[in-house]
Structure formats: structure tokens, C-alpha cells
Amino acid sequence: MDRRIGAISPPGRLADPAEGIGSEELALATRNHGMPLESLRYDLTPPGLHYVLVHYDIPAADANTWALTLCGRVRTPLTLDMAALRSFTAVTHRVTMECAGNGRALLMPRPVSQPWLVEGVGTAEWTGVPLRTLLAECGVAPGSVEVVFTGADHGLERGVEQDYQRSLPLEVATGRDPEVVVAYAMNGAPLPPQHGHPLRLVVPGWYGMAHVKWLREITVVDTEFTGFQQHVAYRYRQTADDPGEPVTRIAPRSLMVPPGFPDFMSRTRVVRPGPQLLEGRAWSGRSPVVRVEVSTDGGRGWHDAELTERHGHAWAWRHWQAPWVATPGAHVLSVRATDAEGNSQPLKQSWNRGGFGNNVVQRVAVHCEAAGAPDDGDQDAADHLDSPARSHAGSPAPSPPRSRADS
Amino acid sequence: MDRRIGAISPPGRLADPAEGIGSEELALATRNHGMPLESLRYDLTPPGLHYVLVHYDIPAADANTWALTLCGRVRTPLTLDMAALRSFTAVTHRVTMECAGNGRALLMPRPVSQPWLVEGVGTAEWTGVPLRTLLAECGVAPGSVEVVFTGADHGLERGVEQDYQRSLPLEVATGRDPEVVVAYAMNGAPLPPQHGHPLRLVVPGWYGMAHVKWLREITVVDTEFTGFQQHVAYRYRQTADDPGEPVTRIAPRSLMVPPGFPDFMSRTRVVRPGPQLLEGRAWSGRSPVVRVEVSTDGGRGWHDAELTERHGHAWAWRHWQAPWVATPGAHVLSVRATDAEGNSQPLKQSWNRGGFGNNVVQRVAVHCEAAGAPDDGDQDAADHLDSPARSHAGSPAPSPPRSRADS
């Protein structure tokens, strides 16, 4: 491909220290979306609130004509339409899915890509056929080592034109726990377009890049798959020359429902003085979360949160709660999860060049103040701030004075 | 409220010319989301792809206990639960809804707020009770002039603590075309949380700020409503001191399905040489779209697109299509809509301080190149670009050489 492609398909890069989010990162951020953190209140993320990351375009897919091909090193190549797939015994798994790039925009220096803060997550129930069942049906040839999954989304990335493709080692593809699923339903309904309609892979415990959407081909191979999304993207590297380690399972993370209410622009939280129940969800794709700790003093002191029963959902997040008595002033709340293998979350960033797996502890800035607290009389402040009118429609408050800076 | 609130609830401002998107704008962009433009292929936007803008938090609302109060200058104040609302004769309207701030991040200088490019739009079918019916039921007192709508979302904005509130003139609230609806279903299902569950206002033809979500109170008043979202926000102002004009109906806009396929990072489109069918949707909240023109040379020449029948949906977007023969090289495609009143889209920005109603024509950068076009042999380019391998899983391509800049 010629030199012009370089201009429209740039290599990966790091942002300069003072560089704000650019127009290309913004174009990704307005298409894709995270889960608003107040949605952590739901055990199962409602449709439309689950995070979405689409590498290229959402394909125009028709379930009536969709076909999945199983091929490569198999005894009997198969092509299955949706009715054929539904004829297998179905399984349903509740899975917390997280983008491997979640936390990327918090890194310094910032890798330029989809600029996630911490919202790139969601939990859904996925229904479909165990991949193991389909592989048994077509018969895997001896000597096979990996299974390659090809989606229908097509695009260009760092100069490489491609259909989205990822692989799994054969032992992961045929494993029983986690059980990899070829899924056709999300929360009991057909997959929405942005989640892979009509068919996607679900790999419980793995970051999102493994869950290939718009799945159209499953290929058994006898050599390591070296496609773009496996060997160029999605590796933990320190330098561009570093071969790096592959991105696989989800590192532990806990997030809290931000308490109180937000300021529109700064998103800073406002709470009233007094008892608060902090709550949220914690997960790890490596082993079960066994401990969640909360800090209400910016990370100096930590105390254990109460973990709610997980009701058998081994690959879904776990609810936690912790009491807090808010006192007037500024606070920074944090939470960290630890799993059964002892994996936990760092207090300082663990940087890599692709911006993957940044599970640094969440910091929630909270301003605690009594309702209708008296103005402190400072005229500089009063001059550019409106009074705390909580107007009731039945008796509209007078129009607040417009400040110099209002627009 | 004291000086500390100033730090967490800043006044409106404009970005400096070289200022990238900041962390606060990014926090909004990762929560809220636009409609990926390939979704313009759907007449009715599938769930989860319709744009979402939440001012504060999505409230924890329970349809089983939700109640709507009608009060103020009425003969008989009413409180209606969801069952009572469903007992009225229902209407369904297909409505294109657009955020008033759509296009904001394209403005120079950029008003700092939710940084939309052009994706803040979607079309849904909304089912509920005509507002006119409910107002007749409670009886509007003589001398009333406006109706105020209060949502359950609560927050702080430029120093003002508030429940989200907007008003409509009484003649709009009771009008027959458009017919304002108190809606409890979207595309035939209960409202999702982010779209106002369980109840919202729908005002066909108006920008999104009028469609109050999580609607809990309707108040008839005899004076002009002067709440924050009516008199401070959502006004077309040139300066902070300008009282401005209220933001009301949607200005005309047309968008195209971006042709071909994208580069992941730059979002630039790649098409093959030859005939292409450009298509998209056009809408106006002022009067019906009567003309759509397409330019394939960066806005110098324009030709008419073919408009598809609108099948009676007066307040929804209209499909259009136009043939194009792509030739190798770089192209900029544009499209503009004109409505029956002669309103059209500007080629240069029409700036205002809040960044509202920016309907400047869309510009889609397209790179046209034959598949597998030969490398031009430039070693500087070849050195940092991978070859255009479209690997097939069954016979994996060799790992592309990693460039210095890959990460």
C-alpha cells in the first residue's frame, strides 16, 4: 500500500505531556461508550449501558442469511446457520466484560487510542453454544494448537487492512471453566448490532478483545496465529521494539457507585454530611475476588468492605458495600480489589505502551457540604457564582443572575 | 453556597485555540455517546445506538412506585401512576431527536461542555399519552402561559443545584402538530434507564433538552419560567452578557453513511475505485426536508440526491441516496439539507457561545485506492508501514514486521 496510506493510517504513538485529547481520540470516544458509573447499581447492566468498543464499523449483518464456518484442521468442515446453532443445547453465563484499554486515558504519557477513563466495563448474560461442542462436532485434527476467530468487521489499522481476527490456545477454546461460548443472545434477547449481531464469541474472564463480534469463521490451526490483533496490538510492551506479553485475562478492579450527586461539567460529587453507604462491584478474570478495601482519606488508610454472596456467577462482578460518615470538606474515596491469587490493584500506574490493563485504584473526588449552607460572604466568589436555588416548578425561583462567564 | 463550590462547579468557558479536549470534557464523552454513523442505515435506531446525553446521574427509578404529578394552575391536581397513564388512549410517534450541542466540538473557539462531533442524534418510536389529554384531564386555569416539566435527575451546574427542569409555552404543550407526548415506551419496550425510565417527555421537532427524562412533575404556571436550563443554559448567545435567544427547534441537517471502511485511529474512510451509492438521512424540526444536495469535491459543486418517501413520519429523518463514481485519490464528501421554509446548512460555522445548533455541513474524508495497490517503493514509507496483508485465518499470514512506532 502506498505512502498515502501512512497519512490516514498512522502508527501507534504516545501523546506529548501537555497534549489534550485530540480530534481522532474524540471521534472514537463519541462513537464508543463506557458504562455510566451509577449503573454499577445494577447486577446485570441494562441494554445500552454496557460498554461498547467497535474497532471498525458495525457490519450490516442479517441473521436470516448469517452462516458460521468451522474449518482448518478439522475432520468435517461445517457451515451452520442460526437455526442450526440454536438446535444445540444452549448454555447461559453471566460475564463481566472489560475493555483491555480501560484506564488508558489516565496513563502518563497517554497512548493515543480509544481514551477510556474507567467506564469500559459491563455485565451481561450471554446465551449460546459452548465452543467445545462445536469443535467436537467438526472434530479437531491431532497436532492442532490454536483456534482463530474471524469477525465481519473490516478496516485498516496502522497500515494493515484486515478483518478483525483473534485466536485462543486450543486448551482455552475447549476448556470447561471458563467455558467459551458462541453466543446469539444477550440478556435473553438477540444480540444488538453493536454487540455482534447475530453471533459473537464470549470468553469469560478475558478482556474484551478476545470476544470476537460478528463471528463468521472459526479456524483450527497448527501454528501460532500471528495476525495484527494478536501480535501487533494487544501486547504489554514497554518500548516499540519490545515483543511484549500477550493481553489475556482481566486484572482485578473495583469501582464504586459515585455517592451523592454530580456537578455537570467537573463530575465532582457533592454529598451531605452524615452516614453514607458506599457500594460498588469488584471483579477479576484471574480468580475470584476475595477482598475489597475502601479508603476515604485519599489512600492513606484502608478498611475492608462487606462482600455480597456471588450466587454462583464465577465470572461476573461481585457486589460490595462499606459505611462512611461524610464530614464537611473535600474527600477522595478509593477502592481496591484483591483476588484469590493475591492479585490486587496498584496505587500508582503500571505503564505500558498500548495502555492495556491499567487497573490503578479509582479515585472519586467528593465535596461534602450541608444543603443550603450559608454563603461565606466572599464577594469575589459571590460575584461569579449563582445562589444555591433549588427551584420548585410550582413557584419558580427568580432567574439567577447571569455571571460574566455564563454562556 | 460557599467559595469551594466555585472550584467544583465552574462557570461556562471557551477553550483556548490550541487546547485539546480536557479531562472534564472526556469524562462526559465516555459516559454519553453518539450514534455511530453507520447506524444511519437503519430507519429506526436500534436500542443502544441512539444518542444519549445525561446531565447529572441516571436516577434509580422504579416503575412500580413512580408517580407523575400535574399541579400548579389547574382545576384538579392529579397524581398518576404508570397503570393510570397506560389507561389513557396511547399514541406512537416516530421522532428524530438531536442534542442541541451536536456539532459543538467542531466550533472554533470550542465551548467547553459535552464535546459532540456530529453523532448526537437518533430516531425512535415513542409511545405514551398526549400531553394535551393530561392537561385537559386536570383543567388548565385561564391566564396560564407555560408548562414546566421537572425530571428526577439532580445535580449542580455552574454553582446552581437543581433538578433538571424545562418549560414549554402553553400553545406548544397543547398543540396537535407536533403532538407532545408523555412517553413510557421506546420502540415498543419500556424506556431504558438512560432514556428516562419509566417516563419522559417527547417534543417532536425540538432539540433534546426539551424532552425531559425521568419526568415526575408537570406544573402549569402563569409567568415565564426562568429556571437554569431555560434562562442560563440553552440560549444562543454571542457574549456572556447577551440575553440571547432560546434554543427550540432542530435546524436542518443531513448526514451520510460513511462509505467504504475506516482506519481505526484516524477514522478516514477507504473506498475502492468505481461506482458507489452514497446514502444517509436528513431532518429538520422546523419544516419537512424538501432537498438534499451532495458534493464530492469538497463543497465546490453540488448535485441533488434522490429523496425516499417519508411514509407519513413528519417528525422523523428522511432517507436519501446519490450515486458516485470513486476515482483513485483523496476526496471530501459533503451533504446538505434544505427544508420547506428554506432553512439550510452553512458551509462555514455559525458560532455561538454555548455551542448550540451547529449544523455546518458534514465533511467526510475518503481515500480511494484499488485493493492490493502496489507499494510505491518508497523505503521511508515501507519502513514504517506494514504490507496490506488481508490474512485468512486458514493460512495465517506471516507476522507483519513491527515498526518502530508500533505499540
Side-chain angles (χ1 to χ4, degrees):
Chain A
M1 213 166 264
D2 72 19
R3 163 198 287 278
R4 291 168 302 180
I5 288 293
I8 66 165
S9 191
R13 72 178 186 91
L14 306 176
D16 290 332
E19 183 183 336
I21 299 291
S23 60
E24 298 184 342
E25 290 165 291
L26 180 60
L28 287 169
T30 58
R31 282 175 56 80
N32 299 308
H33 69 92
M35 184 192 73
L37 293 188
E38 63 270 30
S39 310
L40 286 163
R41 74 168 75 103
Y42 307 110
D43 229 357
L44 211 57
T45 310
L49 293 175
H50 193 290
Y51 98 88
V52 172
L53 188 286
V54 175
H55 282 80
Y56 310 120
D57 281 352
I58 300 169
D62 180 356
N64 294 319
T65 57
W66 197 261
L68 174 68
T69 299
L70 290 104
C71 58
R73 293 184 53 82
V74 297
R75 192 183 55 236
T76 314
L78 290 176
T79 297
L80 303 168
D81 63 13
M82 295 303 295
L85 286 161
R86 286 198 197 89
S87 72
F88 290 93
T89 302
V91 295
T92 297
H93 291 297
R94 182 176 295 197
V95 175
T96 293
M97 206 180 286
E98 184 176 10
C99 188
N102 202 16
R104 176 183 290 124
L106 298 172
L107 291 172
M108 280 287 284
R110 184 181 78 250
V112 172
S113 184
Q114 164 71 34
W116 292 119
L117 295 168
V118 296
E119 302 89 342
V121 68
T123 295
E125 288 190 336
W126 303 95
T127 299
V129 190
L131 175 60
R132 194 177 61 248
T133 303
L134 297 179
L135 291 175
E137 191 79 6
C138 62
V140 173
S144 301
V145 297
E146 289 198 353
V147 184
V148 179
F149 306 91
T150 303
D153 51 332
H154 185 81
L156 187 63
E157 198 160 351
R158 298 188 224 162
V160 185
E161 188 178 335
Q162 58 194 285
D163 290 347
Y164 188 86
Q165 289 187 307
R166 286 276 308 179
S167 73
L168 288 174
L170 186 62
E171 66 272 20
V172 175
T174 55
R176 291 188 174 267
D177 191 29
E179 183 173 64
V180 180
V181 178
V182 173
Y184 47 74
M186 179 186 189
N187 298 338
L191 301 185
Q194 70 274 28
H195 289 290
H197 185 84
L199 206 60
R200 77 175 300 173
L201 200 68
V202 173
V203 189
W206 286 53
Y207 281 116
M209 77 282 151
H211 307 237
V212 177
K213 294 190 274 194
W214 311 292
L215 182 65
R216 60 176 180 76
E217 190 173 296
I218 296 176
T219 317
V220 180
V221 295
D222 60 0
T223 55
E224 191 187 357
F225 176 65
T226 55
F228 180 91
Q229 303 294 349
Q230 204 85 19
H231 266 228
V232 180
Y234 294 114
R235 297 187 81 89
Y236 295 109
R237 300 183 205 275
Q238 288 302 310
T239 64
D241 291 333
D242 179 2
E245 289 297 317
V247 176
T248 58
R249 287 172 180 253
I250 299 174
R253 191 193 296 271
S254 181
L255 295 174
M256 73 175 68
V257 176
F261 57 86
D263 177 69
F264 172 74
M265 196 63 227
S266 75
R267 305 315 293 174
T268 303
R269 312 297 304 189
V270 178
V271 300
R272 305 299 182 209
Q276 302 270 340
L277 186 64
L278 303 178
E279 62 167 347
R281 312 265 168 188
W283 62 94
S284 167
R286 299 179 182 170
S287 62
V289 167
V290 294
R291 187 178 192 186
V292 170
E293 297 158 282
V294 168
S295 170
T296 58
D297 60 2
R300 287 186 295 280
W302 293 85
H303 52 277
D304 282 337
E306 182 189 341
L307 289 172
T308 305
E309 267 305 313
R310 60 165 63 252
H311 304 299
H313 299 296
W315 300 103
W317 55 27
R318 190 167 181 184
H319 182 262
W320 59 264
Q321 58 183 40
W324 175 48
V325 180
T327 54
H331 305 274
V332 174
L333 310 180
S334 285
V335 57
R336 85 178 155 202
T338 303
D339 70 19
E341 290 174 2
N343 304 301
S344 190
Q345 300 182 243
L347 295 174
K348 291 186 175 165
Q349 71 175 17
S350 172
W351 189 89
N352 63 84
R353 219 183 134 76
F356 299 118
N358 176 25
N359 65 336
V360 67
V361 296
Q362 182 191 22
R363 291 173 62 86
V364 180
V366 174
H367 172 90
C368 176
E369 183 170 304
D375 191 296
D376 70 357
D378 184 300
Q379 284 308 306
D380 286 344
D383 195 32
H384 73 277
L385 291 172
D386 300 319
S387 60
R390 181 178 168 179
S391 67
H392 183 276
S395 51
S399 177
R402 257 196 330 279
S403 78
R404 293 186 301 266
D406 280 334
S407 60
Chain B
M1 211 166 267
D2 72 20
R3 165 197 288 275
R4 291 167 302 179
I5 288 294
I8 66 164
S9 191
R13 72 177 187 92
L14 305 177
D16 290 333
E19 183 183 335
I21 298 291
S23 60
E24 299 184 342
E25 291 164 290
L26 180 60
L28 287 169
T30 57
R31 281 175 58 78
N32 299 308
H33 69 92
M35 184 192 73
L37 293 188
E38 63 270 31
S39 309
L40 286 163
R41 74 168 75 104
Y42 307 110
D43 229 357
L44 211 56
T45 310
L49 292 175
H50 193 288
Y51 96 89
V52 172
L53 188 286
V54 174
H55 282 81
Y56 311 120
D57 281 351
I58 299 169
D62 180 355
N64 295 317
T65 57
W66 197 261
L68 174 68
T69 299
L70 290 104
C71 57
R73 294 184 51 82
V74 296
R75 191 182 57 237
T76 313
L78 290 177
T79 296
L80 302 168
D81 63 13
M82 295 304 294
L85 285 161
R86 286 198 198 89
S87 72
F88 290 93
T89 301
V91 295
T92 297
H93 291 297
R94 182 175 295 196
V95 175
T96 293
M97 207 179 285
E98 184 176 12
C99 188
N102 202 17
R104 177 183 290 124
L106 298 172
L107 291 172
M108 279 286 285
R110 182 181 78 249
V112 173
S113 185
Q114 164 72 34
W116 292 120
L117 295 167
V118 297
E119 301 89 343
V121 68
T123 295
E125 288 191 335
W126 302 94
T127 299
V129 191
L131 175 60
R132 194 177 60 249
T133 303
L134 298 179
L135 291 174
E137 190 80 6
C138 62
V140 172
S144 302
V145 297
E146 289 197 354
V147 184
V148 179
F149 306 91
T150 303
D153 51 331
H154 184 81
L156 186 63
E157 199 162 351
R158 297 188 224 162
V160 185
E161 189 179 334
Q162 59 194 287
D163 290 347
Y164 188 85
Q165 289 188 306
R166 286 277 310 179
S167 73
L168 289 173
L170 186 61
E171 66 271 20
V172 174
T174 56
R176 289 187 176 268
D177 191 28
E179 183 173 62
V180 181
V181 178
V182 174
Y184 46 74
M186 179 185 189
N187 298 339
L191 302 185
Q194 69 274 29
H195 289 292
H197 183 85
L199 207 60
R200 76 175 302 172
L201 200 68
V202 173
V203 190
W206 286 53
Y207 280 117
M209 77 284 150
H211 307 238
V212 177
K213 293 190 276 194
W214 311 291
L215 183 65
R216 60 176 181 75
E217 191 173 296
I218 296 175
T219 317
V220 180
V221 296
D222 60 0
T223 54
E224 190 187 0
F225 176 64
T226 56
F228 180 91
Q229 303 292 352
Q230 204 84 18
H231 267 227
V232 180
Y234 294 114
R235 298 186 80 87
Y236 295 109
R237 302 183 204 276
Q238 287 303 310
T239 65
D241 291 333
D242 177 3
E245 291 297 317
V247 176
T248 58
R249 288 173 180 251
I250 299 173
R253 190 193 298 271
S254 181
L255 295 174
M256 72 177 68
V257 176
F261 57 86
D263 178 69
F264 172 74
M265 196 63 228
S266 74
R267 306 314 293 175
T268 303
R269 312 297 303 189
V270 178
V271 301
R272 305 298 181 211
Q276 301 271 339
L277 186 63
L278 303 178
E279 63 167 346
R281 312 266 168 188
W283 62 94
S284 167
R286 298 179 181 171
S287 63
V289 166
V290 294
R291 187 178 192 187
V292 170
E293 297 159 283
V294 168
S295 170
T296 57
D297 60 2
R300 287 186 295 280
W302 293 85
H303 52 277
D304 283 336
E306 182 189 341
L307 289 171
T308 305
E309 267 305 312
R310 59 166 64 252
H311 303 298
H313 299 295
W315 300 103
W317 55 27
R318 191 167 181 184
H319 181 263
W320 59 264
Q321 59 184 39
W324 175 48
V325 180
T327 53
H331 304 274
V332 174
L333 310 180
S334 285
V335 56
R336 86 179 154 204
T338 303
D339 70 19
E341 291 175 1
N343 303 302
S344 190
Q345 299 182 245
L347 295 174
K348 291 188 175 163
Q349 70 175 17
S350 173
W351 189 88
N352 63 85
R353 218 183 134 77
F356 299 117
N358 177 24
N359 66 336
V360 68
V361 297
Q362 183 191 20
R363 290 172 63 85
V364 179
V366 174
H367 172 90
C368 176
E369 183 170 303
D375 191 294
D376 71 356
D378 184 301
Q379 283 308 306
D380 286 344
D383 194 32
H384 73 277
L385 291 171
D386 299 318
S387 61
R390 181 178 167 180
S391 67
H392 183 275
S395 51
S399 178
R402 258 197 327 281
S403 79
R404 292 187 302 268
D406 280 334
S407 59

